[in-house]
Amino acid sequence: MSNNCGREKEKLIMYQAFDKMQRHFPMSAGDGAYSYSRNSQLQREVLDGAKEMVRDAIIEKLDIKSLLSASINTFRIIDLGCSIGPNTFSAMQHIIEAVKDKCHYQFSADSSNIIPEFQVFFNDHVNNDFNTLFRSLPVDRSYFAVGVPGSFHGRLFPSGSIHFAHSSCAIHWLSKLPEMLLDEKSPAWNKGLIHYVDAANTAVVNAYVAQFDKDMEIFLSARAEEIVPGGMMVLVSPFSGYRYLKFFGSSLMDLVNEGMLDESLVDAFNVPVYFPSPEDMTKVVEKNGCFSIERIELTYPQSKLVDEADAKSLMTNLRAVLEGVFINHFGSKIADEAFSRTILKSEDISAWMKANYEKPCQLFVVLKRK
Amino acid sequence: MSNNCGREKEKLIMYQAFDKMQRHFPMSAGDGAYSYSRNSQLQREVLDGAKEMVRDAIIEKLDIKSLLSASINTFRIIDLGCSIGPNTFSAMQHIIEAVKDKCHYQFSADSSNIIPEFQVFFNDHVNNDFNTLFRSLPVDRSYFAVGVPGSFHGRLFPSGSIHFAHSSCAIHWLSKLPEMLLDEKSPAWNKGLIHYVDAANTAVVNAYVAQFDKDMEIFLSARAEEIVPGGMMVLVSPFSGYRYLKFFGSSLMDLVNEGMLDESLVDAFNVPVYFPSPEDMTKVVEKNGCFSIERIELTYPQSKLVDEADAKSLMTNLRAVLEGVFINHFGSKIADEAFSRTILKSEDISAWMKANYEKPCQLFVVLKRK
């Protein structure tokens, strides 16, 4: 048994206290018209864009022989910020297929006996709709499925128990909003805007970056405890895709101008997401020191939604992602009005997308526990 | 890596197919007036009645030194048929306290460094209300919490991954109803009754026993794969407590007599629970052969509900347990009517309880993986 159990226990308690302080906004639950489970093509495109690279990382860089042994024949995978499917099932199945193939390469002498058992831990915030997730688990899955409620900005698993960690479209969510964005006296006050992507003010950007650095340091410290030496972590995060946030902001301002919403409510609202660059991520990983960077780059996946300027689907996807955080701040009525108005502007947004075409871009990171 | 991975994989798939065939009836969800979370005193009494014995089993019979090592410092506990709390949290905390105390006894030289990390797997059917379970997890827990959807009549966990299995008020649920109970031509046709406890007909009892034997053999085979050698399993099951089922049966027959319900619907209904005796359980454990019996006996816990003849609370508790299976067969309207009428008869039932007092009794089993 390791000698730092006492320290570990203290940490566990600290992490839980931290977890409790946070506000969480899950993807829209259930399987209704505006649910995440029916409106997650955007995340699907991010996932599909990374698939070949995930497979390459496993085949080229994961040493399964060193992770498994006569006494450890279970390969444990975690999906951090899994939401409610179906994307998470596709991602997990893809990883398992690649690990099985790597087993065959590494143990070619007697390949029928070397496939481990797989256990997949689906993680998301405690207010994620795990009932929907569990009820839609693929019936023909070849793994033991487990749900893990809690913030990934904290400890979730026992020390040294995880072989592969995956997170797609999740690490850009901040654990909380930097307070100075809401402070009239701060240079980072983000008046009339709801995100840094539209802000000319670098103080606003810096406030977001500082919060991302803090969150990612806690994230990496927790994962460093949980992932076995030689274990792998793949992080995929949107980078360009969210320049559409401003359309929701402008719908909110329309409501202000029509006297339906108090402007101070918009001033007091910012979307708590930061889209890290390779440089941002390199900095925090190097500072943490527990992981080697195997690959880090911006990649340019196919996006039917963007290439076809399908603004309606795109806005409906973003609604499923943002509904929780909007409703929490503005209430259901205003949130619904802001989303409906934005979706009604689909033709204009589509025209804007064509005139301002930008190839969709995402951050792809492969880390290995030292 | 073990040599039977291929065989394991086949088994896993077989178990899942089996799981899919079954009908599952969870305890009443949420936290409303008739929910299980607010109406589980009966199960709490069973649990409390077993607490001291669970602790004794851990202190006297669990060799923690042999289960943990330098490379394995996580102690994994499963609660099979956990439902939605709060009883499961109390049971898990109690087990963890006892294991910690045993650690101190076994590693007394340097007791501050030997407490393992704990991971608790909360298991119930996929249609259990895991959202409620997760949202009511104790905030000051000292373990990593995980939810596992699926039938315990099948594999749920990787081979050799579990150190302690617990199940209270769950193993008496059959995976399905013996078909012959519903067959007019069978000697086991249970006409006009809803359970074997009221049946004079031994063919009915035998049909229930045969199904229990089949289910428990599958249960034990699955657990034998999952629990490490030296690992412990505690099973607690009500034995006498459910002689009250007949009152629900008689309310159904009242509805038949008033023309509100077709008698054939009652004939086609039986509650799928069998309350095993020490002899029943000994037989299946010995046939399975993978576990040693450390303790098996009927015990007589304190029951305020029974001792005070509190029929109203008792019937409301049973409603939370039985609602799913009644609604599935009769629909909500008839089920609600049958429950309401039974609860309205509380004074009569209370008088019957006093006149026919029987000390509540439960089966307590401690097994150890050979």
Side-chain angles (χ1 to χ4, degrees):
Chain A
M1 220 173 303
S2 79
N3 279 329
N4 60 1
C5 280
R7 192 170 60 80
E8 282 310 303
K9 231 175 53 183
E10 271 171 36
K11 264 198 202 167
L12 177 60
I13 291 161
M14 183 196 84
Y15 285 132
Q16 283 163 0
F18 179 82
D19 186 34
K20 231 190 121 190
M21 281 164 51
Q22 295 173 68
R23 305 295 298 270
H24 305 135
F25 311 102
M27 305 299 98
S28 294
D31 60 359
Y34 295 120
S35 66
Y36 176 83
S37 63
R38 287 210 196 171
N39 295 284
S40 46
Q41 297 95 313
L42 195 62
Q43 293 79 0
R44 178 70 185 223
E45 289 178 347
V46 171
L47 203 63
D48 287 346
K51 270 194 168 169
E52 208 46 53
M53 292 183 291
V54 171
R55 184 179 169 82
D56 289 349
I58 291 169
I59 299 295
E60 288 164 23
K61 310 230 172 179
L62 189 67
D63 180 7
I64 295 177
K65 234 175 190 166
S66 77
L67 299 179
L68 300 173
S69 66
S71 62
I72 300 169
N73 68 343
T74 301
F75 191 93
R76 293 192 174 86
I77 304 171
I78 58 180
D79 194 22
L80 300 159
C82 65
S83 190
I84 51 175
N87 291 337
T88 184
F89 305 132
S90 162
M92 295 300 100
Q93 192 55 40
H94 181 72
I95 290 166
I96 288 172
E97 293 306 327
V99 171
K100 281 182 182 169
D101 288 347
K102 183 65 186 276
C103 283
H104 286 298
Y105 295 135
Q106 280 203 288
F107 305 90
S108 53
D110 181 9
S111 65
S112 66
N113 286 332
I114 46 69
I115 304 298
E117 293 183 312
F118 291 91
Q119 191 172 30
V120 175
F121 294 79
F122 295 95
N123 157 256
D124 212 317
H125 286 304
V126 70
N127 53 356
N128 184 53
D129 186 358
F130 281 95
N131 287 347
T132 295
L133 178 79
F134 286 167
R135 287 161 200 181
S136 53
L137 275 165
V139 286
D140 61 347
R141 67 191 182 274
S142 60
Y143 53 84
F144 297 104
V146 170
V148 184
S151 164
F152 55 50
H153 294 119
R155 282 290 300 277
L156 292 165
F157 305 96
S159 304
S161 66
I162 303 301
H163 302 101
F164 196 98
H166 174 267
S167 185
S168 183
C169 293
I171 58 159
H172 60 290
W173 283 92
L174 300 177
S175 70
K176 62 172 189 172
L177 204 64
E179 280 157 26
M180 59 184 79
L181 295 178
L182 312 180
D183 178 2
E184 270 185 62
K185 290 171 197 146
S186 161
W189 189 37
N190 201 18
K191 182 174 169 51
L193 296 172
I194 66 167
H195 197 234
Y196 72 86
V197 285
D198 316 312
N201 183 351
T202 55
V204 172
V205 183
N206 291 341
Y208 270 95
V209 172
Q211 187 62 47
F212 174 79
D213 285 353
K214 254 188 254 174
D215 286 348
M216 196 43 58
E217 171 56 25
I218 291 170
F219 176 93
L220 290 171
S221 297
R223 301 298 86 74
E225 297 283 350
E226 296 162 357
I227 298 175
V228 296
M232 188 172 268
M233 175 150 65
V234 169
L235 306 173
V236 191
S237 178
F239 186 66
S240 67
Y242 283 66
R243 58 189 186 129
Y244 310 102
L245 278 176
K246 66 174 171 192
F247 296 110
F248 298 99
S250 91
S251 292
L252 286 170
M253 287 310 289
D254 290 349
L255 296 177
V256 170
N257 293 331
E258 291 171 30
M260 289 173 68
L261 177 61
D262 196 284
E263 187 166 4
S264 65
L265 265 174
V266 179
D267 294 344
F269 179 72
N270 286 268
V271 181
V273 294
Y274 177 74
F275 305 109
S277 68
E279 294 70 33
D280 291 326
M281 192 57 94
T282 301
K283 199 181 79 183
V284 283
V285 172
E286 287 181 348
K287 189 179 165 213
N288 169 271
C290 295
F291 295 90
S292 62
I293 297 175
E294 303 293 324
R295 185 169 177 177
I296 190 162
E297 63 191 89
L298 289 178
T299 64
Y300 299 85
Q302 285 299 312
S303 171
K304 214 170 154 246
L305 290 183
V306 174
D307 287 351
E308 295 180 0
D310 181 356
K312 195 173 175 191
S313 298
L314 198 61
M315 296 299 126
T316 310
N317 265 245
L318 288 173
R319 177 187 183 137
V321 171
L322 297 170
E323 214 168 33
V325 70
F326 270 67
I327 290 174
N328 178 68
H329 187 81
F330 296 107
S332 308
K333 215 177 135 198
I334 291 291
D336 187 56
E337 189 65 33
F339 287 121
S340 303
R341 283 174 178 236
T342 311
I343 291 164
L344 278 174
K345 291 178 203 157
S346 291
E347 275 188 41
D348 291 348
I349 298 173
S350 183
W352 179 88
M353 286 172 75
K354 285 172 193 160
N356 298 276
Y357 179 77
E358 200 172 273
K359 204 159 169 45
C361 170
Q362 65 195 31
L363 175 67
F364 181 78
V365 182
V366 179
L367 305 178
K368 211 162 151 179
R369 178 73 171 98
K370 287 178 186 169
Chain B
M1 218 172 304
S2 81
N3 278 330
N4 60 1
C5 281
R7 193 170 59 80
E8 281 310 303
K9 231 177 53 183
E10 272 171 36
K11 264 199 200 167
L12 176 62
I13 289 159
M14 185 195 82
Y15 285 133
Q16 283 163 1
F18 180 84
D19 185 33
K20 230 191 122 190
M21 282 163 50
Q22 296 173 66
R23 306 295 299 268
H24 305 135
F25 311 103
M27 305 297 100
S28 295
D31 59 1
Y34 295 120
S35 66
Y36 176 83
S37 62
R38 285 211 198 171
N39 296 285
S40 46
Q41 297 95 316
L42 196 61
Q43 293 80 358
R44 178 69 186 224
E45 288 179 348
V46 171
L47 203 64
D48 286 345
K51 272 194 167 173
E52 207 49 50
M53 292 182 291
V54 171
R55 185 180 169 82
D56 288 350
I58 291 169
I59 300 294
E60 288 164 22
K61 312 231 171 177
L62 190 67
D63 180 7
I64 295 176
K65 234 174 191 166
S66 77
L67 298 179
L68 300 174
S69 66
S71 63
I72 300 167
N73 67 344
T74 301
F75 191 93
R76 293 193 172 84
I77 305 171
I78 58 181
D79 194 23
L80 299 159
C82 65
S83 190
I84 51 175
N87 291 337
T88 184
F89 305 131
S90 162
M92 295 302 99
Q93 193 54 41
H94 181 72
I95 289 166
I96 288 172
E97 294 304 327
V99 171
K100 280 182 183 170
D101 288 348
K102 183 65 185 278
C103 282
H104 285 298
Y105 295 136
Q106 280 202 287
F107 305 89
S108 53
D110 180 10
S111 63
S112 66
N113 286 331
I114 46 71
I115 303 298
E117 291 183 313
F118 292 91
Q119 191 172 30
V120 175
F121 295 78
F122 294 95
N123 158 256
D124 213 316
H125 286 304
V126 69
N127 53 356
N128 183 54
D129 185 357
F130 281 95
N131 287 347
T132 295
L133 178 78
F134 286 167
R135 287 162 201 181
S136 52
L137 275 164
V139 285
D140 60 347
R141 66 192 182 274
S142 59
Y143 53 84
F144 296 104
V146 170
V148 184
S151 165
F152 56 50
H153 294 119
R155 281 288 300 278
L156 293 165
F157 306 95
S159 305
S161 66
I162 303 301
H163 302 100
F164 196 99
H166 174 267
S167 186
S168 182
C169 293
I171 58 160
H172 60 289
W173 283 92
L174 300 177
S175 70
K176 62 172 189 173
L177 205 63
E179 280 157 26
M180 60 182 79
L181 295 178
L182 311 180
D183 178 1
E184 270 186 61
K185 290 170 197 147
S186 161
W189 190 37
N190 201 18
K191 183 174 168 52
L193 296 173
I194 66 166
H195 197 233
Y196 71 87
V197 284
D198 317 311
N201 182 350
T202 56
V204 172
V205 184
N206 290 342
Y208 270 96
V209 173
Q211 187 61 46
F212 175 78
D213 285 353
K214 254 189 254 174
D215 286 347
M216 197 44 60
E217 171 56 24
I218 292 170
F219 176 93
L220 291 171
S221 297
R223 300 299 86 74
E225 297 282 351
E226 296 162 357
I227 298 174
V228 295
M232 188 171 268
M233 176 149 66
V234 168
L235 306 172
V236 190
S237 178
F239 186 67
S240 65
Y242 283 66
R243 58 188 186 130
Y244 310 103
L245 278 175
K246 67 174 173 191
F247 295 110
F248 297 99
S250 91
S251 292
L252 287 169
M253 288 309 289
D254 291 347
L255 296 176
V256 169
N257 293 332
E258 291 170 32
M260 289 173 68
L261 177 62
D262 196 284
E263 186 166 7
S264 65
L265 265 175
V266 179
D267 294 344
F269 178 73
N270 287 268
V271 180
V273 294
Y274 177 74
F275 305 108
S277 67
E279 294 71 32
D280 291 326
M281 192 56 92
T282 301
K283 200 181 78 183
V284 283
V285 172
E286 287 179 349
K287 189 178 165 216
N288 169 272
C290 295
F291 294 91
S292 62
I293 297 176
E294 303 294 324
R295 184 168 179 179
I296 190 162
E297 63 190 90
L298 290 177
T299 62
Y300 299 86
Q302 285 300 313
S303 172
K304 213 171 154 246
L305 290 183
V306 174
D307 288 350
E308 294 181 359
D310 181 355
K312 194 171 174 192
S313 298
L314 197 62
M315 295 299 126
T316 309
N317 266 246
L318 288 172
R319 175 186 185 140
V321 171
L322 296 169
E323 213 168 35
V325 70
F326 270 67
I327 289 174
N328 179 67
H329 187 81
F330 296 106
S332 306
K333 213 178 136 196
I334 291 291
D336 187 55
E337 190 65 34
F339 287 122
S340 303
R341 283 173 180 238
T342 311
I343 291 165
L344 279 174
K345 291 179 203 158
S346 291
E347 274 188 39
D348 290 349
I349 298 172
S350 181
W352 179 89
M353 286 172 75
K354 284 173 191 159
N356 297 278
Y357 179 77
E358 200 173 272
K359 206 160 168 42
C361 168
Q362 66 195 30
L363 175 68
F364 181 78
V365 183
V366 178
L367 305 178
K368 211 162 152 179
R369 179 73 173 94
K370 287 178 185 168

